[in-house]
Amino acid sequence: MLEMTREEFEELVAEALDRIPPELTRLMDNVAVFVEDEPAADDPDLLGLYEGTPLTDRGEWYAGVLPDRITIYRGPTLRMSESREDVVAETEITVVHEIAHHFGIDDERLHELGYG
């Protein structure tokens, strides 16, 4: 498995977030991004997870709720990567994938766009 500290991986996630176009980040609402070492044991290969209510599903009722949560998992990303460049690329894809869920884009469409 490729070695990378948690701090290095968190920096890659931050860099991936910085590459999201500002016109999209301005539209993001009530969402927080976290880095965790491992996903739940029942899905050990999960690279990222979006938990919340997509922007497209929010209505007048949406007020006073906890932020949506995007989690990027370090362990599976490092296990599937052969080089630092692989980690950078996969991290960026995963960050975009999970943010797309925040915008209401489903997995099928993301796969079509190359972010599967």
Side-chain angles (χ1 to χ4, degrees):
M1 179 170 99
L2 189 66
E3 293 295 323
M4 180 178 288
T5 67
R6 171 107 178 223
E7 292 77 22
E8 289 174 304
F9 189 78
E10 287 173 349
E11 183 62 32
L12 291 181
V13 170
E15 290 170 5
L17 287 166
D18 288 345
R19 286 191 287 279
I20 303 294
E23 52 274 7
L24 287 180
T25 57
R26 280 193 294 272
L27 297 173
M28 293 173 65
D29 181 48
N30 199 30
V31 61
V33 178
F34 298 90
V35 170
E36 298 289 340
D37 288 328
E38 295 293 337
D42 63 340
D43 200 355
D45 297 326
L46 187 66
L47 302 178
L49 180 64
Y50 170 76
E51 300 170 286
T53 304
L55 295 175
T56 54
D57 293 345
R58 296 179 185 180
E60 295 173 8
W61 58 269
Y62 188 84
V65 299
L66 292 174
D68 291 1
R69 181 180 177 102
I70 292 174
T71 307
I72 309 299
Y73 297 106
R74 179 175 153 267
T77 304
L78 295 179
R79 285 192 293 275
M80 72 175 292
S81 300
E82 295 182 13
S83 68
R84 180 177 172 80
E85 292 77 23
D86 289 347
V87 176
V88 170
E90 197 56 55
T91 301
E92 187 165 321
I93 289 169
T94 304
V95 167
V96 169
H97 181 106
E98 301 310 329
I99 288 173
H101 286 319
H102 176 68
F103 284 101
I105 301 171
D106 65 18
D107 281 330
E108 182 178 332
R109 181 67 178 135
L110 285 167
H111 284 275
E112 290 171 6
L113 296 170
Y115 290 98

